[in-house]
């Protein structure tokens, strides 16, 4: 629910900004020191105010998601460079062109999950959330739009400009400065995580989620890796267990799937959802 200014005991902060703009123009009122602290961008951007900016970046999406009745999310991670099939001929390599099938699977998976969300909760639970950019992220938001549902995009400011893809619900299109806060918003409401082929960013997000669940810092949720050929080629999970850097039980924290339908079936049959590990096997 939005704040109702008529029910406040004290004067509204916005009112004071307007009042302050109308004071006489003097040497004192022109001084930066006179500006209201919360209306002074130069002050807010000081290095000493980083903790405040971190808090603001955590709070803004939290408040706005509650206003949009977001109760839980389905997370989609994956490569920004994966093109839709109709643009596969523009891919730099044949291997990347073949990856376009994952665009279709991500779009289909998001559509199915959004249709279920609308039918089961009126669109409040299991809302698709992506990184807000192109590729697999666009496919996820697009699939939700295909189903007539809303979806979330968590963009981040990069050296090269990245605009939000056009399929994100505008009221749920966010932009971040801090990677760490953005990652929290990906996982805070997650009821499942679907991870498609990608690069460094995708790997970072995959291993952070696995580590949080492995160590009991996060409740267990279905973690689905799309594309066995890709994942078994780039990461030898079994070798980690064989040498003992993870336990064999840790290999059960995720499943590899090929299709949207297989992913949905895995979500429906997943055991231990919502529980936190009490101990890390092998430690």
């Amino acid at each position: 629910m939005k704040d109702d200014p008529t029910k406040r005991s004290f004067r509204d902060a916005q009112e004071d900004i307007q009042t302050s703009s109308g004071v006489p123009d003097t040497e004192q009122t022109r001084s930066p020191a006179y500006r209201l602290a919360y209306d002074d961008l130069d002050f807010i951007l000081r290095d000493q105010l980083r903790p405040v900016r971190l808090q603001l970046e955590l709070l803004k999406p939290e408040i706005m998601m509650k206003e949009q009745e977001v109760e839980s999310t389905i997370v989609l991670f994956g490569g920004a460079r994966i093109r839709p099939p109709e643009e596969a001929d523009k891919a730099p390599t044949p291997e990347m062109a073949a990856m376009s099938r994952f665009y279709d699977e991500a779009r289909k998976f998001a559509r199915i999950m959004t249709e279920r969300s609308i039918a089961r909760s009126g669109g409040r639970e299991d809302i698709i959330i992506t990184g807000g950019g192109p590729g697999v992220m666009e496919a996820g938001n697009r699939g939700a739009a295909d189903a007539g549902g809303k979806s979330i995009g968590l963009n981040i400011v990069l050296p090269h400009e990245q605009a939000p893809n056009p399929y994100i619900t505008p009221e749920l299109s966010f932009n971040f400065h801090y990677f760490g806060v953005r990652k929290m918003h990906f996982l805070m409401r997650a009821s499942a995580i679907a991870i498609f082929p990608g690069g460094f960013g995708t790997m970072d997000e995959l291993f952070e989620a696995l580590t949080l669940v492995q160590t009991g810092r996060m409740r267990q949720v279905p973690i689905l890796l799309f594309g066995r050929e890709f994942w078994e080629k780039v990461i030898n999970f079994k070798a980690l267990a064989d040498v003992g850097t993870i336990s064999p039980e840790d290999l059960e924290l995720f499943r590899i799937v090929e299709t949207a339908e297989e992913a949905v079936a895995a979500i429906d049959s997943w055991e231990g959802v919502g529980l936190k590990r009490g101990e890390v096997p092998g430690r």
Side-chain angles (χ1 to χ4, degrees):
M1 294 293 292
K2 290 187 177 181
D3 185 29
D4 183 354
T6 65
K7 295 182 178 179
R8 299 181 190 142
S9 299
F10 296 102
R11 185 174 170 82
D12 178 73
Q14 185 64 41
E15 288 179 314
D16 275 0
I17 291 176
Q18 294 169 355
T19 301
S20 294
S21 66
V23 299
D25 183 19
T26 68
E27 185 178 359
Q28 288 74 27
T29 61
R30 287 194 298 271
S31 169
Y34 185 76
R35 296 175 195 157
L36 290 164
Y38 58 84
D39 193 38
D40 186 345
L41 187 59
D42 290 335
F43 175 69
I44 293 293
L45 293 179
R46 286 187 178 198
D47 284 348
Q48 299 96 317
L49 270 290
R50 182 173 290 117
V52 175
R53 295 196 299 275
L54 282 160
Q55 185 179 24
L56 290 173
E57 200 153 277
L58 181 65
L59 274 173
K60 181 181 178 180
E62 175 73 14
I63 291 169
M64 298 187 78
M65 285 191 208
K66 284 186 176 179
E67 289 176 353
Q68 291 293 316
E69 299 183 304
V70 176
E71 296 181 8
S72 61
T73 57
I74 302 289
V75 184
L76 262 72
F77 292 136
R81 305 183 190 192
I82 294 177
R83 299 175 181 270
E86 61 270 23
E87 298 179 13
D89 59 338
K90 300 177 183 177
T93 65
E95 291 80 7
M96 181 58 72
M99 288 278 186
S100 65
R101 76 177 185 89
F102 291 111
Y103 185 102
D104 273 351
E105 289 302 327
R107 182 178 177 182
K108 184 191 299 184
F109 174 72
R111 175 182 57 77
I112 293 171
M113 296 307 297
T114 303
E115 288 172 346
R116 286 176 26 143
S117 169
I118 294 170
R120 294 179 176 183
S121 69
R124 295 186 302 275
E125 298 177 356
D126 292 349
I127 296 172
I128 298 297
I129 184 170
T130 79
V136 166
M137 296 174 279
E138 177 187 284
N141 296 117
R142 188 175 181 180
D146 291 339
K150 55 191 174 185
S151 68
I152 305 163
L154 305 185
N155 274 266
I156 190 153
V157 179
L158 299 172
H160 54 280
E161 187 62 30
Q162 176 178 294
N165 71 66
Y167 302 102
I168 305 166
T169 301
E171 295 81 6
L172 293 169
S173 182
F174 302 104
N175 200 18
F176 288 82
H177 173 71
Y178 297 106
F179 267 97
V181 179
R182 179 176 180 251
K183 287 180 178 180
M184 287 185 66
H185 278 295
F186 272 127
L187 300 180
M188 283 167 63
R189 305 162 196 82
S191 57
I193 304 170
I195 305 173
F196 293 80
F200 289 157
T202 301
M203 301 298 170
D204 176 46
E205 290 153 342
L206 163 63
F207 282 109
E208 176 146 32
L210 284 174
T211 300
L212 289 170
V213 174
Q214 179 203 42
T215 57
R217 297 287 296 179
M218 176 180 166
R219 61 189 174 87
Q220 296 182 65
V221 298
I223 298 177
L224 308 159
L225 278 59
F226 276 75
R228 181 173 299 278
E229 181 181 1
F230 173 83
W231 290 109
E232 291 187 347
K233 182 177 181 180
V234 300
I235 304 173
N236 192 336
F237 290 104
K238 186 175 182 299
L240 296 175
D242 288 344
V243 300
T245 55
I246 65 172
S247 297
E249 294 91 337
D250 293 330
L251 298 176
E252 299 173 6
L253 297 177
F254 64 91
R255 295 184 198 173
I256 298 178
V257 298
E258 296 294 336
T259 66
E261 292 83 0
E262 190 179 350
V264 173
I267 289 172
D268 290 343
S269 63
W270 206 279
E271 296 183 2
V273 172
L275 302 176
K276 290 183 180 179
R277 279 182 158 185
E279 59 182 27
V280 179
R283 293 287 292 273

